[in-house]
Amino acid sequence: CAAQPPTDLCDKPLKPLSRQELNRREALSLYGVAAQHEQRSRLPEALRTYEKALRLDGDSPAILRALVPLYLALDRQEEALNACKRIVALDPEDFETWLTYGRQLKAVDRDGDARTAFVRASACKELPEHPEAHLNVFYELGVLHQKARAYRDAEDAFRQVIVILERPSATLEQGGMSREELSTQVADTYERIGRICIDAKEV
């Protein structure tokens, strides 16, 4: 060794990477290639490359998250559901995936499972920091509770919707909702709560 580097560098060979580490490196490289395909609207190529990356690193939430919108865009709903299920198993605090998962379950008439997904989303610690997602989770939850005739739960969910709407953040306003539209939605939600209370009394 030149210039007398530390003895341990001279005497000990570098530890070779494990097969798992090599796979993860290759998966990361493929992820980058897939992202480029996606940016160029080459969706089938992007999908195949993400799936190849996933075979190398099957516990990567990032790869699974990238796959979900592609599965949905290519009308592969069952694969999208399975990917969402794997993501939330790996990261239970991922409220965005819980929301997507719930909506897809609702779309295939699995309302009970969808309600469970929205309940899990509503419990995620960071959800209140994202007003649009916060609003969507409780609205979806309220709709499904009402459909299931769980009137008390439905009322609670829609009252939470009102709380969110009455404290509009810049995020909601930038999302295309004016203050007038927010006020209208608050009024509509109060009306919906009124109908829920009437239905509850008739049960």
Side-chain angles (χ1 to χ4, degrees):
C1 291
Q4 295 184 338
T7 306
D8 58 345
L9 293 183
C10 294
D11 297 339
K12 296 181 180 179
L14 293 175
K15 182 180 178 181
L17 294 175
S18 67
R19 172 50 58 186
Q20 184 179 39
E21 290 169 330
L22 288 169
N23 285 347
R24 284 180 176 171
R25 283 194 175 189
E26 187 176 352
L28 182 60
S29 177
L30 288 169
Y31 181 94
V33 173
Q36 291 178 2
H37 283 315
E38 190 173 2
Q39 289 171 358
R40 294 168 184 163
S41 298
R42 300 172 181 169
L43 300 190
E45 292 89 343
L47 180 63
R48 284 194 293 270
T49 310
Y50 280 130
E51 287 181 329
K52 187 176 180 180
L54 188 65
R55 287 194 289 272
L56 292 166
D57 188 4
D59 290 331
S60 170
I63 298 173
L64 288 162
R65 289 186 185 106
L67 279 167
V68 169
L70 290 178
Y71 283 141
L72 293 174
L74 296 171
D75 198 26
R76 293 172 58 174
Q77 193 167 52
E78 193 62 34
E79 287 95 331
L81 285 170
N82 290 336
C84 286
K85 185 177 181 179
R86 289 176 66 185
I87 293 167
V88 295
L90 292 164
D91 183 6
E93 288 293 314
D94 184 351
F95 61 84
E96 290 182 341
T97 298
W98 278 119
L99 177 57
T100 300
Y101 190 28
R103 284 173 165 169
Q104 294 309 309
L105 289 166
K106 179 182 172 184
V108 294
D109 297 321
R110 291 171 57 183
D111 288 355
D113 292 333
R115 286 171 71 191
T116 299
F118 293 132
V119 168
R120 293 293 299 272
S122 71
C124 291
K125 295 177 182 178
E126 294 185 4
L127 179 64
E129 299 174 18
H130 302 267
E132 283 189 85
H134 199 192
L135 176 66
N136 289 330
V137 165
F138 277 96
Y139 182 83
E140 294 279 11
L141 196 51
V143 169
L144 286 180
H145 282 323
Q146 185 177 9
K147 184 177 179 180
R149 299 186 178 183
Y151 295 122
R152 177 61 62 84
D153 291 335
E155 180 182 350
D156 290 344
F158 283 121
R159 289 196 182 279
Q160 184 61 43
V161 168
I162 290 170
V163 169
I164 299 167
L165 289 171
E166 288 185 334
R167 298 176 186 173
S169 70
T171 303
L172 278 175
E173 292 175 353
Q174 291 171 6
M177 295 179 69
S178 67
R179 290 190 176 277
E180 291 75 16
E181 289 170 329
L182 288 170
S183 297
T184 299
Q185 193 162 347
V186 169
D188 290 345
T189 306
Y190 272 119
E191 183 178 347
R192 188 161 195 160
I193 289 172
R195 292 198 301 271
I196 288 171
C197 291
I198 292 171
D199 290 341
K201 291 178 180 177
E202 292 177 352
V203 173

